Amino acid sequence: MNLTERELMALEECMCREQIVIRKYRLYAEQCTDAQLKATCNQLADKHQQHFNTLMGYLQ
């Protein structure tokens, strides 16, 4: 699939935002002392990692 320059820019922006969210949730998980909250943060980070991977698939 050939993407336009505009589509590529939008895709890059989405991927950048996903990376930021992943980093934030991982950081939150590291700082959590509550096991349930830590697990939730890691689950959210994993979900956003899946989103990132899906977006990356559009580039391949």
Side-chain angles (χ1 to χ4, degrees):
M1 166 176 33
N2 291 331
L3 299 174
T4 67
E5 186 173 334
R6 186 175 188 162
E7 290 169 330
L8 283 172
M9 288 175 46
L11 188 57
E12 287 177 3
E13 179 65 26
C14 289
M15 291 173 71
C16 182
R17 289 174 190 249
E18 288 295 340
Q19 286 180 316
I20 291 169
V21 172
I22 293 164
R23 276 185 251 140
K24 284 184 178 185
Y25 279 125
R26 294 288 182 216
L27 179 62
Y28 298 156
E30 288 175 17
Q31 295 176 354
C32 286
T33 55
D34 180 88
Q36 188 174 10
L37 186 55
K38 183 179 195 114
T40 299
C41 288
N42 279 318
Q43 288 171 353
L44 289 167
D46 292 343
K47 189 65 166 176
H48 284 281
Q49 183 66 56
Q50 290 173 355
H51 295 166
F52 179 85
N53 294 344
T54 299
L55 294 171
M56 180 65 87
Y58 293 123
L59 296 176
Q60 298 173 345

